[in-house]
């Protein structure tokens, strides 16, 4: 139905480059979440797909057709705005029917489509109300219904959950996922909330300062972050990063720094003496006796999350967090020893911030 | 219980005193505003021989002044002419204000700021400066002595443009964008999304423009040399070199005020809304 290809898309506002050569291929039926902190260009990117902001450079293809310079109404895309943008002077029914009336569809078709969509979203009793008489959640549904009624090729959602309270947000998240499963349409969803991204997306595109950092499934992005930015942005608490130097000892690589002597797996001679950033997620760290631990530090703060505790530790000059069932048995000021499996250690290049990938050594036994 | 009751009492005394003072001040102001209008109608209902009486109530009531006014002037015709003129000017200014305000608020185009400044600047040009060129132009067009001649140069007002642009800038951009995505063009968006949501502002501005046009004296006097064309000029008939004929003049003035008062009564809610909102922005 709708595959969206974005090629080298750029948008400059004066001196500022809001979106910088972004390229993503969104296959039909994908639920792509554009994730990033505020000001990372994710909304600008969505608005360029919608046709509301003209790109400075690059192309947008919809099912192979170049739509870069096609006006929004001819793009076969529907958008749900952060503020919902419901027409205040129209009833719910007329709000939902608005896109069809604008396209001069026959009255009977409009009525039946509005009827169908409102039934699907459970809006039947609200049809004669005006937007100001609706709760936040109801407004959100009406906005969604107005997008659905056109049966567009793809849905663009600009932080549609950010104005809902926490309980409603969780419920709506599940509903949106269900809706996507049922419709099978392409969804592009903008958010700064990593939980939304992890739970709803089939793929996540992480943006930072207008650049695309990584595109991948939620597990790929979480398990193998492509950059230190992604590593720090996704996951709560954030992945701890510490600066270290690699040493090759008997074919095994060790990350070494003050308080750090951590085996990170097998390596090649050229990896020795290389400076790296070492990242370990909080749940992959385990407590061991401080005297022999590969990571030695001091507990700065222990947070109680109810079922779990998170201890913030200082190892050398880096902050590492460790997470475990309550009680962890740690208190601020304690000396702490931490360890982890080499497979859970992420290595990044300190200059570019990009992930260092271990290529299989030529002498692996697997081949024989 | 006792303590809390006592406290409620103390609070209520303190809280009622201020509103009483406020209301008293507002009442005085209200009287000051209403008194001249009351005096106008009171005078118009006095018998012709009591016209200089200072009694606050016109008693016995007399319709003689109205009868005289109707004899001297074609009140019906004047009302019609004045209405056509005022409605024409108000609608014209509203329409041009709407279109220009929409362009300034919702569109991006080269020279927008400059053009807007020029618009604002025309507001600062005194009427006396444009009066003669306008008159000469009307004379060339051959529309002197006609209502059209009064209306034509007043079809665009900078005030309308400025106020409507201000209102439209406060209009949520996302609504305009939603309409664009939903398939409305710029023109259709103006009429199906912007105008219905600006109704209070449009009503308030419409009234303001109507009242301005209705009360206009000098420009119609210049263009319509016949004295009996609009109500405000009709009033001149009662001014003479040997004194003014106050009774019929007040009666005519009273009738001239009526349409404006009626309009206000009908659209009161919208007007108040419009001014309150423009104040909040």
């Amino acid at each position: 139905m709708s595959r969206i290809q974005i090629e080298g898309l750029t948008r400059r506002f004066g001196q500022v480059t809001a979106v910088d050569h972004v390229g993503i291929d969104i296959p039909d039926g994908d639920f792509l979440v554009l994730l990033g902190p505020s000001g990372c260009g994710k909304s600008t990117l969505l608005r360029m797909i919608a046709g509301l902001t003209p790109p400075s450079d690059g192309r947008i293809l919809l099912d192979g057709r170049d739509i870069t310079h096609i006006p929004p109404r001819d793009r076969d895309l529907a958008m749900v705005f952060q503020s919902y943008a419901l027409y205040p002077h129209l009833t719910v029914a007329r709000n939902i029917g608005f896109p069809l009336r604008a396209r001069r569809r026959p009255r009977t078709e409009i009525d039946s489509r509005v009827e169908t969509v409102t039934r699907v979203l459970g809006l039947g009793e609200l049809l004669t109300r005006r937007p100001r008489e609706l709760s936040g959640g109801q407004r959100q549904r009406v906005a969604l219904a107005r997008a659905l009624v056109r049966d567009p090729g793809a849905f663009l959602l600009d932080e549609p959950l950010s104005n809902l309270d926490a309980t409603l947000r969780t419920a709506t998240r599940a509903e949106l996922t269900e809706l996507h499963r049922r419709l099978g349409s392409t969804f592009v969803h903008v958010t700064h909330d990593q939980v939304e991204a992890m739970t709803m997306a089939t793929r996540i595109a992480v943006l930072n300062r207008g650049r695309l950092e990584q595109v991948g499934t939620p597990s790929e992005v979480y398990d193998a972050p492509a950059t230190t930015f992604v590593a720090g942005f996704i996951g709560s608490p954030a992945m701890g990063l510490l600066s270290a130097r690699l040493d090759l000892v008997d074919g095994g690589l060790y990350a070494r720094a003050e308080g750090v002597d951590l085996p990170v797996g097998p390596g090649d001679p050229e990896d020795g003496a290389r400076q790296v950033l070492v990242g370990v997620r909080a749940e992959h760290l385990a407590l061991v006796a401080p005297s022999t631990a590969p990571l030695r530090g001091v507990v700065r703060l222990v947070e109680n999350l109810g079922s779990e505790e998170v201890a913030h530790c200082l190892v050398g000059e880096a902050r590492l967090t460790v997470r475990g069932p309550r009680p962890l048995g740690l208190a601020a000021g304690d000396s702490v020893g931490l360890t982890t499996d080499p497979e859970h250690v992420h290595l990044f290049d300190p200059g570019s911030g990009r992930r260092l990938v271990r290529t299989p050594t030529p002498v692996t036994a697997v081949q024989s | 219980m006792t303590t809390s009751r006592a406290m409620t009492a103390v609070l209520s005394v303190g809280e009622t005193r201020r509103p009483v003072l406020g209301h008293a001040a507002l009442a005085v102001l209200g009287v000051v505003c209403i008194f001249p209008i009351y005096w106008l109608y009171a005078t118009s209902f006095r018998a012709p021989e009591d016209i200089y009486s200072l009694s606050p109530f016109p008693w016995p009531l007399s319709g003689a002044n109205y009868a005289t006014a109707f004899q001297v002037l074609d009140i019906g015709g004047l009302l019609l002419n004045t209405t056509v003129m005022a409605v024409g000017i108000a609608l014209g200014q509203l329409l041009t204000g709407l279109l220009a305000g929409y362009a300034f608020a919702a569109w991006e185009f080269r020279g927008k700021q400059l053009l807007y400044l020029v618009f604002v600047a025309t507001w600062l040009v005194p009427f006396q400066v444009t009066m003669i060129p306008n008159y000469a132009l009307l004379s060339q067009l051959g529309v002197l002595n006609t209502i059209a001649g009064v209306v034509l140069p007043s079809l665009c007002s900078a005030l309308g443009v400025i106020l409507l642009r201000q209102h439209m800038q406060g209009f949520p951009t996302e609504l305009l964008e939603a309409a664009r995505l939903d398939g409305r063009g710029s023109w259709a968006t103006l009429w199906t999304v912007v105008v219905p949501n600006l109704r209070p502002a449009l009503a308030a501005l419409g009234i303001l423009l109507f009242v301005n046009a209705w009360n206009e004296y000098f420009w119609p006097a210049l263009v319509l040399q016949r004295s009996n064309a609009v109500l405000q000029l009709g009033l001149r008939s009662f001014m003479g070199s040997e004194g003014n004929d106050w009774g019929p003049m007040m009666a005519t003035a009273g009738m001239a005020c009526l349409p404006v008062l009626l309009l206000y009564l009908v659209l009161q809610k919208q007007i108040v809304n419009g001014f309150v909102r423009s104040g909040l922005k």
Side-chain angles (χ1 to χ4, degrees):
Chain A
M1 289 198 310
S2 282
R3 170 187 183 195
I4 304 171
Q5 289 158 280
I6 297 165
E7 295 173 356
L9 209 58
T10 302
R11 172 67 203 196
R12 285 179 283 269
F13 294 103
Q15 295 296 312
V16 185
T17 305
V19 174
D20 195 358
H21 283 93
V22 169
I24 312 174
D25 189 346
I26 311 168
D28 178 36
D30 215 8
F31 195 126
L32 181 87
V33 170
L34 296 174
L35 178 69
S38 7
C40 72
K42 55 193 190 297
S43 280
T44 310
L45 181 57
L46 191 79
R47 292 171 56 84
M48 286 196 281
I49 302 175
L52 295 172
T53 302
S56 310
D57 205 357
R59 290 203 307 164
I60 306 162
L61 305 176
L62 186 68
D63 286 330
R65 183 171 65 112
D66 190 340
I67 58 162
T68 319
H69 302 291
I70 302 245
R73 64 172 148 172
D74 299 327
R75 290 192 178 199
D76 195 25
L77 302 169
M79 184 155 163
V80 176
F81 290 85
Q82 187 174 6
S83 68
Y84 313 138
L86 300 179
Y87 307 112
H89 62 296
L90 298 178
T91 60
V92 167
R94 290 184 66 77
N95 256 293
I96 298 172
F98 190 93
L100 299 178
R101 283 202 305 283
R103 289 176 164 73
R104 304 194 187 286
R105 297 283 172 77
R107 182 75 186 268
T108 48
E109 186 198 329
I110 298 178
D111 289 346
S112 77
R113 291 276 288 277
V114 170
E115 214 272 321
T116 314
V117 169
T118 47
R119 192 158 24 92
V120 169
L121 290 175
L123 289 166
E125 286 147 32
L126 307 174
L127 286 179
T128 53
R129 298 225 202 138
R130 286 181 200 259
R132 64 168 169 275
E133 298 159 350
L134 303 177
S135 70
Q138 290 167 335
R139 284 180 202 184
Q140 205 264 353
R141 276 159 185 279
V142 175
L144 205 57
R146 191 175 65 187
L148 272 176
V149 78
R150 267 171 55 195
D151 193 18
F155 293 90
L156 310 176
L157 312 163
D158 189 3
E159 308 213 18
L161 306 183
S162 61
N163 289 341
L164 304 178
D165 62 51
T167 326
L168 201 55
R169 198 179 304 169
T170 314
T172 316
R173 225 160 54 198
E175 278 174 26
L176 269 179
T177 313
E178 166 62 20
L179 190 70
H180 170 251
R181 200 187 54 74
R182 204 166 42 191
L183 294 173
S185 310
T186 313
F187 278 56
V188 184
H189 179 116
V190 162
T191 184
H192 59 266
D193 182 345
Q194 49 162 315
V195 180
E196 263 175 48
M198 293 298 289
T199 52
M200 298 166 79
T202 53
R203 287 197 311 153
I204 299 176
V206 186
L207 289 159
N208 179 36
R209 296 190 193 167
R211 285 171 184 272
L212 188 62
E213 296 273 336
Q214 184 174 7
V215 187
T217 64
S219 346
E220 281 167 8
V221 171
Y222 188 82
D223 295 337
T227 62
T228 48
F229 175 81
V230 178
F233 192 75
I234 294 185
S236 177
M239 182 189 284
L241 290 170
L242 49 89
S243 193
R245 188 172 45 84
L246 291 182
D247 274 341
L248 189 68
V249 179
D250 297 337
L253 280 174
Y254 288 79
R256 287 189 172 140
E258 185 196 341
V260 180
D261 188 5
L262 182 69
V264 297
D268 293 334
E270 64 259 35
D271 291 328
R274 181 176 183 160
Q275 280 293 327
V276 288
L277 283 172
V278 178
V280 189
R281 292 217 181 266
E283 63 270 29
H284 294 143
L285 283 169
L287 296 172
V288 287
S291 52
T292 55
L295 297 161
R296 295 170 300 277
V298 181
V299 179
R300 301 302 303 265
L301 174 74
V302 180
E303 285 177 329
N304 178 0
L305 302 182
S307 61
E308 298 183 309
E309 271 183 345
V310 172
H312 297 258
C313 311
L314 204 59
V315 175
E317 287 181 359
R319 279 178 167 274
L320 283 184
T321 43
V322 56
R323 176 152 129 176
R326 191 161 67 103
L328 275 177
L330 293 175
D334 288 357
S335 287
V336 68
L338 302 168
T339 187
T340 187
D341 280 344
E343 64 185 270
H344 289 139
V345 174
H346 306 264
L347 296 178
F348 301 95
D349 180 64
S352 66
R354 300 209 70 83
R355 181 182 190 81
L356 296 171
V357 185
R358 291 191 190 90
T359 45
T361 43
V363 282
T364 44
V366 184
Q367 285 172 344
S368 56
Chain B
M1 280 301 280
T2 352
T3 338
S4 75
R5 227 178 251 163
M7 278 178 58
T8 328
V10 169
L11 271 178
S12 64
V13 168
E15 275 175 4
T16 46
R17 190 174 295 152
R18 222 174 296 156
V20 164
L21 282 175
H23 280 118
L26 287 175
V28 170
L29 260 176
V31 168
V32 168
C33 288
I34 287 172
F35 185 76
I37 296 162
Y38 169 74
W39 201 250
L40 180 145
Y41 283 107
T43 310
S44 76
F45 283 112
R46 287 181 211 280
E49 59 274 17
D50 298 338
I51 213 72
Y52 293 105
S53 153
L54 291 179
S55 94
F57 305 107
W59 200 258
L61 285 175
S62 152
N65 292 325
Y66 286 86
T68 317
F70 272 99
Q71 269 167 22
V72 176
L73 295 170
D74 169 19
I75 299 283
L78 293 190
L79 259 175
L80 184 71
N81 283 348
T82 317
T83 309
V84 168
M85 174 197 80
V87 169
I89 291 179
L91 281 184
Q93 295 188 347
L94 217 49
L95 186 71
T96 48
L98 193 64
L99 296 178
Y102 183 54
F104 282 129
W107 287 14
E108 286 305 325
F109 52 91
R110 213 175 275 272
K112 178 166 122 169
Q113 289 302 322
L114 184 73
L115 198 62
Y116 182 66
L117 277 179
V118 172
F119 251 98
V120 175
T122 64
W123 196 30
L124 306 176
V125 177
F127 166 72
Q128 286 77 359
V129 174
T130 54
M131 174 176 81
I132 303 299
N134 272 339
Y135 186 87
L137 192 64
L138 291 180
S139 163
Q140 281 171 16
L141 289 171
V143 286
L144 280 182
N145 269 321
T146 65
I147 298 288
V150 182
V151 174
L152 210 53
S154 316
L155 279 181
C156 178
S157 96
L159 177 72
V161 175
I162 293 165
L163 284 181
L164 284 174
R165 171 189 175 261
Q166 217 58 28
H167 268 285
M168 287 193 206
Q169 278 195 322
F171 198 78
T173 331
E174 289 201 335
L175 276 184
L176 300 180
E177 291 176 342
R180 260 174 87 192
L181 278 166
D182 282 343
R184 290 279 193 223
S186 208
W187 179 253
T189 302
L190 172 65
W191 295 106
T192 57
V193 177
V194 179
V195 168
N197 285 301
L198 278 186
R199 258 189 310 210
L202 288 171
L205 182 62
I207 300 281
L208 192 73
L209 297 173
F210 176 83
V211 172
N212 272 349
W214 184 272
N215 291 336
E216 188 63 57
Y217 176 80
F218 192 74
W219 179 244
L222 203 66
V223 178
L224 306 166
Q225 284 125 359
R226 291 168 295 158
S227 73
N228 59 348
V230 293
L231 268 173
Q232 281 62 25
L233 302 184
L235 287 173
R236 291 193 298 200
S237 319
F238 303 109
M239 296 183 196
S241 47
E242 61 276 10
N244 297 338
D245 203 351
W246 288 112
M249 196 199 281
M250 289 302 127
T252 314
M255 287 187 281
C257 292
L258 276 183
V260 176
L261 290 177
L262 280 179
L263 198 67
Y264 177 74
L265 283 180
V266 174
L267 296 176
Q268 190 184 23
K269 205 174 128 196
Q270 309 234 347
I271 296 170
V272 172
N273 264 342
F275 283 122
V276 166
R277 284 193 198 177
S278 55
L280 284 176
K281 262 174 199 151

